[in-house]
């Protein structure tokens, strides 16, 4: 029996964004204002992830003063090192960094920086791969990555390069076990907040519990649709969700099964064509085209 930690573990879902910027790097709002923006919008948690670069003083912004009884923060940063195969600076998302995470030394490359962040306790992800044309080989070299951004809202708004599902599927087909993130990457140069977020399953809205859930894959990503439950069985998967236009299970290559019907709130999808590909993942789309992405599960046989 396959279990999905986002739905099998105890606790409840907490709404949060794990990729955001402030005036501590190249964002347009102060750290306090960014936290207030998300808190006032009903988010349960936020990770402020300013650019960890020398020109900004290598910030891991201390957002602990902005926590309240019903809103918490995770410390993090977007890390950088030279250079990808296209000559771009590496971008590494690290959530759960210690405040004293050491500046990037000369000669440290992206894979080594990601590994150092993971060793320091961070949840590490590959951000906006389509935005800067990250190659499959470069992505594969980030062995410490827990997840890949499959939707980055500001990249979509500003460059039409917000979709990372193609890279994620190729990584999964190659045997990598990575989760799927939806984020804002808000900078507030335009209204680029509230376009993609995570629903994280934990017993408490506390930094340690949320970080552990992220590392365990106990979350799903969404632009709006809610997934209430996913029940994996030997021959089928059953999905319950808010009203959807389509519910689909996707596997390796072209393997897929779907229910396409307006107002669907429960779908049972066969796995016969999916299992031999090694993995499966659920996507729910509503009538407006907004999607929710569950993390992949893996068939051991």
């Amino acid at each position: 029996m396959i279990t999905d930690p986002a739905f099998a573990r105890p606790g409840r879902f907490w709404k949060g964004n794990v990729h955001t910027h402030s005036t501590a790097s190249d964002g347009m709002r102060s750290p306090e204002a960014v936290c207030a923006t998300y808190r006032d919008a009903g988010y349960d948690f936020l990770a402020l992830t300013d650019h960890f670069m020398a020109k900004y003083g290598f910030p891991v912004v201390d957002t602990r003063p902005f926590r309240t009884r019903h809103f918490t923060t995770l410390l993090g940063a977007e890390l950088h090192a030279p250079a990808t195969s296209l000559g771009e600076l590496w971008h590494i998302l690290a959530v759960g960094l210690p405040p004293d995470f050491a500046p990037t030394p000369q000669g440290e490359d992206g894979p080594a920086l990601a590994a150092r962040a993971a060793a320091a306790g961070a949840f590490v992800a590959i951000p906006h791969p389509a935005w800067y044309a990250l190659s499959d080989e470069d992505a594969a070299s980030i062995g410490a990555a827990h997840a890949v951004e499959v939707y980055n809202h500001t990249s979509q708004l500003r460059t039409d390069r917000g979709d990372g599902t193609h890279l994620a599927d190729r990584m999964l087909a190659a045997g990598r076990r990575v989760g799927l993130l939806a984020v804002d990457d808000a900078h507030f140069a335009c209204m680029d907040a509230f376009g993609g977020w995570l629903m994280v399953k934990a017993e408490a809205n506390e930094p340690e519990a949320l970080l552990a859930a992220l590392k365990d894959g106990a979350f799903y990503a969404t632009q709006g649709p809610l997934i209430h439950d996913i029940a994996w069985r030997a021959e089928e998967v059953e999905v319950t969700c808010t009203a959807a236009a389509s519910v689909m299970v996707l596997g390796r290559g072209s393997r897929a099964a779907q229910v396409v019907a307006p107002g669907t709130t429960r779908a049972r999808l066969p796995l016969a064509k999916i299992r031999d590909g090694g993995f499966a993942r659920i996507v729910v789309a509503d009538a407006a085209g907004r999607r929710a992405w569950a993390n992949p599960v893996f068939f051991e046989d």
Side-chain angles (χ1 to χ4, degrees):
M1 179 68 69
I2 298 171
T3 58
D4 183 329
F7 302 97
R9 71 188 290 156
R12 54 155 285 189
F13 282 108
W14 308 94
K15 179 179 180 179
N17 181 40
V18 296
H19 189 168
T20 329
H21 297 273
S22 76
T23 52
S25 62
D26 63 346
M28 298 293 108
R29 298 186 185 182
S30 69
E32 183 176 11
V34 173
C35 289
T37 296
Y38 282 91
R39 183 189 66 234
D40 293 347
Y43 281 61
D44 298 303
F45 70 93
L46 176 72
L48 191 61
T49 53
D50 276 300
H51 295 286
F52 194 73
M53 302 172 73
K55 67 179 179 179
Y56 301 121
F58 292 108
V60 177
V61 180
D62 186 1
T63 55
R64 291 173 294 186
F66 312 131
R67 295 172 181 170
T68 69
R69 181 180 176 185
H70 300 294
F71 177 82
T72 197
T73 63
L74 299 170
L75 304 190
E78 186 170 356
L79 311 177
H80 301 280
T84 70
S85 59
L86 285 182
E88 301 268 353
L89 276 177
W90 280 100
H91 292 246
I92 307 292
L93 186 67
V95 176
L97 285 174
D100 60 351
F101 187 69
T104 309
Q106 187 172 3
E108 186 174 47
D109 64 9
L113 180 57
R116 181 161 65 90
F123 171 80
V124 174
I126 297 172
H128 47 58
W131 172 74
Y132 74 139
L134 190 71
S135 70
D136 288 10
E137 293 75 18
D138 284 341
S141 74
I142 306 298
H146 296 93
V148 177
E149 288 182 1
V150 293
Y151 182 71
N152 181 295
H153 190 52
T154 199
S155 294
Q156 186 62 33
L157 287 178
R158 296 170 68 88
T159 66
D160 194 39
R161 291 174 172 173
D163 191 333
T165 54
H166 300 295
L167 175 68
D169 277 338
R170 291 193 298 272
M171 292 181 73
L172 292 167
R176 283 291 296 275
R177 298 195 172 198
V178 290
L180 311 179
L181 305 184
V183 304
D184 281 339
D185 194 3
H187 290 67
F188 299 99
C190 61
M191 194 53 209
D192 53 359
F194 317 140
W197 60 90
L198 299 183
M199 300 297 291
V200 179
K201 186 76 164 295
E203 294 194 84
N205 186 31
E206 298 174 352
E208 295 78 9
L210 294 170
L211 184 60
L214 286 170
K215 291 180 180 179
D216 289 345
F219 62 89
Y220 68 90
T222 185
Q223 297 171 302
L226 299 180
I227 303 175
H228 300 314
D229 191 36
I230 300 177
W232 296 93
R233 305 185 180 101
E235 301 301 328
E236 67 176 16
V237 58
E238 184 172 8
V239 182
T240 57
C241 56
T242 51
S246 63
V247 179
M248 60 198 85
V249 57
L250 306 179
R252 180 186 177 93
S254 63
R255 294 169 175 84
Q258 60 283 126
V259 171
V260 181
T264 297
T265 59
R266 184 181 300 271
R268 298 172 69 176
L269 303 168
L271 296 176
K273 296 180 180 180
I274 308 295
R275 294 187 66 94
D276 64 352
F279 75 92
R281 62 183 184 89
I282 300 296
V283 183
V284 174
D286 68 13
R290 300 178 304 173
R291 295 162 291 169
W293 302 265
N295 280 329
V297 300
F298 302 90
F299 303 108
E300 300 300 338
D301 56 353

